[in-house]
Amino acid sequence: MYSLSSQKKYWTFKTEQELAELRVKQNVQFITKHGASMTEEQKQAHFLSADEERLLLKQYELQLKEFCKRFEPPMPKYVVGTAFHYFKRFYLNNSSMDYHPKEILATCVYLACKVEEFNVSIAQFVANIKGDRSKAMDIILSNELLLMQELNYYLTIHNPMRPIEGFLIDIKTRCNMSNPDRLRPGIEDFIDKTFLTDAPLMYAPSQIALAAVLHAASKEQENLDSYVTESLFGSAKDKLPVLIEAVRRVRSMVRTIELPPKDRVRFLEKKLEKCRNQENNPDSQIYKQRMKKMYEDEDDLDVMGSSYHMNVSDASLDVSQLNTTNPANMTIE
C-alpha cells in the first residue's frame, strides 16, 4: 500500500524546489572535493553546473525511455516506471560527474527487471546494448550493489499502472462512457511523458493515474468531472481541492516538457568526459587498477578460506584440487 510505503515516506517530495536543492547540493559537493585547487573561474569552465547536469540527465532519461521501448523481449510498462524511479532517485544523492549516467542507466533498468520479476538473464539483457557487451555486463554487475546502496535498499516501487486499471474498471461500472478502453493510448502516452518529469518523485501513483485518465478523456472529448466529484469523492469532498491541485500540477508538468537542445547536449557530453571522476570511469587506468586490486584481494580471501577449510575438514586434500576462482570476477578491458 502506497500510503504506508517507503516510497511515500522517504522518496516523495513536496516541491520542485526541494528536489532542486538536493541536486545543487550534490553538484557543489563534487566540485568542492575535486576542484579544491582551482579558482572559481576555473571551476566554472571545467565542471558542469547544477543546471547543466539537470539538462544532461534529461537527455539520458530520453535514452532510458528509448532503450526500454526497443528492448527484447518487450518490457512491461511497470518495469520501465521502476527503472525511471531508480534513475531519478540515484541522482538526488549523486552527481553525474561522479557516476556517468550512461552506466547508471543500464544498471537501473537491469535492477528493475530483477525487482519486478521480469525474468531476463544478464546475457539476454546486454544483447540489447550496442557495442562491447562483455564490458557492459561488467559495468552493470559492478554498479548493481552501488545502486542498491544509494537507494537505501528501498526497491519496491508503486507505479500508476495498477490505479489506472482500477479507474478504468470503475468508469465502466459507474459511468455511461462508451468503451472506456479507447482511453488507453492517451493514458499510455501521458504516463510515458510523466517519466520525463519530476512527477514520480512528488505525487502519489493514484494522482498521476487520475491525471492520465482525465487527460486521455479530454482528448476523446469526454468529461469526467462529475465522475470525480460525485463518484470518487462524493463522501470526501474535503479532499477534493488537494486532488484537483495535484492533477493540475501533473498535467502542467507534462505539458511544459522541454527537450534538451542537441548541440547543447553534445557540448555537455564533451565537458562531462573531461570533468568526470576518473576513479569511476571504466576506461581509465586508475579504475582498472582499483578493480584489479579489489579482485586480487578477494582471491586472497578465497585462498585463505579454502586453505582453512582444507586443514580443518580434510587434511589429506591436495592443494591443487582447491577451487579458488571467483565467479564474480570481472575484467575491465
Side-chain angles (χ1 to χ4, degrees):
M1 183 180 293
Y2 170 77
S3 60
L4 301 176
S5 68
S6 60
Q7 181 173 334
K8 184 178 188 300
K9 186 174 182 180
Y10 301 110
W11 293 103
T12 300
F13 302 87
K14 293 182 178 180
T15 64
E16 291 179 273
Q17 179 63 29
E18 189 178 358
L19 294 171
E21 288 173 359
L22 288 171
R23 290 163 178 148
V24 169
K25 177 183 176 182
Q26 298 306 323
N27 178 267
V28 170
Q29 286 180 345
F30 182 89
I31 294 175
T32 301
K33 178 180 178 180
H34 295 274
S37 61
M38 297 182 182
T39 64
E40 287 303 315
E41 291 76 13
Q42 289 173 327
K43 289 178 183 177
Q44 290 178 11
H46 183 69
F47 295 109
L48 297 176
S49 69
D51 288 340
E52 289 173 332
E53 282 200 75
R54 187 75 193 109
L55 185 67
L56 198 55
L57 286 173
K58 286 183 177 180
Q59 175 62 29
Y60 278 99
E61 287 180 349
L62 288 171
Q63 292 186 20
L64 194 164
K65 177 184 174 184
E66 288 304 310
F67 176 74
C68 294
K69 183 178 180 180
R70 67 172 187 268
F71 194 89
E72 290 293 337
M75 186 178 293
K77 192 74 71 177
Y78 58 85
V79 180
V80 181
T82 295
F84 267 99
H85 269 273
Y86 291 168
F87 188 78
K88 291 174 184 291
R89 290 181 182 185
F90 184 88
Y91 286 107
L92 292 179
N93 290 333
N94 296 278
S95 168
S96 58
M97 293 181 285
D98 216 358
Y99 299 100
H100 201 295
K102 69 182 177 184
E103 293 152 13
I104 297 302
L105 181 158
T107 309
C108 288
V109 180
Y110 180 64
L111 182 60
C113 290
K114 294 174 72 172
V115 171
E116 297 291 357
E117 299 183 351
F118 177 54
N119 296 317
V120 292
S121 67
I122 184 64
Q124 285 177 295
F125 186 89
V126 297
N128 289 274
I129 296 176
K130 298 178 181 178
D132 189 336
R133 290 168 179 168
S134 176
K135 180 180 176 182
M137 185 184 299
D138 290 342
I139 290 172
I140 290 168
L141 294 178
S142 63
N143 281 334
E144 188 177 8
L145 180 59
L146 166 71
L147 175 59
M148 289 191 288
Q149 289 172 336
E150 293 302 315
L151 298 176
N152 294 324
Y153 299 96
Y154 296 125
L155 305 181
T156 300
I157 301 297
H158 296 263
N159 283 296
M161 293 71 187
R162 184 171 293 179
I164 285 170
E165 293 304 319
F167 282 130
L168 290 176
I169 292 172
D170 197 46
I171 289 170
K172 291 176 184 177
T173 305
R174 297 200 283 177
C175 279
N176 57 2
M177 180 190 297
S178 62
N179 188 22
D181 283 328
R182 62 194 166 93
L183 302 182
R184 288 187 182 276
I187 290 172
E188 290 184 5
D189 179 66
F190 186 90
I191 292 298
D192 284 344
K193 290 177 180 177
T194 63
F195 293 151
L196 305 177
T197 73
D198 281 332
L201 295 173
M202 296 177 61
Y203 297 102
S206 58
Q207 293 172 329
I208 296 173
L210 183 58
V213 170
L214 295 178
H215 171 80
S218 67
K219 292 290 184 181
E220 293 291 326
Q221 308 299 316
E222 296 283 357
N223 191 320
L224 291 177
D225 289 352
S226 61
Y227 165 73
V228 174
T229 57
E230 302 302 327
S231 299
L232 288 182
F233 289 90
S235 60
K237 291 192 183 297
D238 57 314
K239 298 181 180 179
L240 197 54
V242 174
L243 176 71
I244 291 174
E245 178 59 19
V247 168
R248 187 192 68 79
R249 285 292 302 130
V250 172
R251 294 181 70 176
S252 174
M253 293 169 84
V254 167
R255 189 167 53 250
T256 56
I257 291 175
E258 293 183 1
L259 299 180
K262 291 183 178 180
D263 56 341
R264 184 65 176 160
V265 168
R266 284 193 291 268
F267 170 78
L268 295 178
E269 289 274 18
K270 293 177 181 178
K271 192 174 181 181
L272 177 59
E273 286 303 321
K274 294 179 181 178
C275 69
R276 68 178 296 190
N277 184 357
Q278 293 303 310
E279 290 186 5
N280 297 323
N281 180 1
D283 293 325
S284 71
Q285 286 302 315
I286 188 171
Y287 177 91
K288 294 175 183 178
Q289 291 168 2
R290 179 166 62 86
M291 295 298 288
K292 181 180 178 181
K293 184 177 186 304
M294 181 175 72
Y295 290 113
E296 285 176 348
D297 290 345
E298 287 187 4
D299 286 342
D300 289 343
L301 289 174
D302 285 347
V303 171
M304 292 173 61
S306 298
S307 299
Y308 175 80
H309 178 76
M310 177 191 69
N311 292 332
V312 172
S313 302
D314 189 356
S316 65
L317 182 65
D318 189 274
V319 174
S320 64
Q321 295 176 318
L322 289 175
N323 177 17
T324 60
T325 59
N326 176 9
N329 195 10
M330 299 183 298
T331 302
I332 306 298
E333 297 296 335

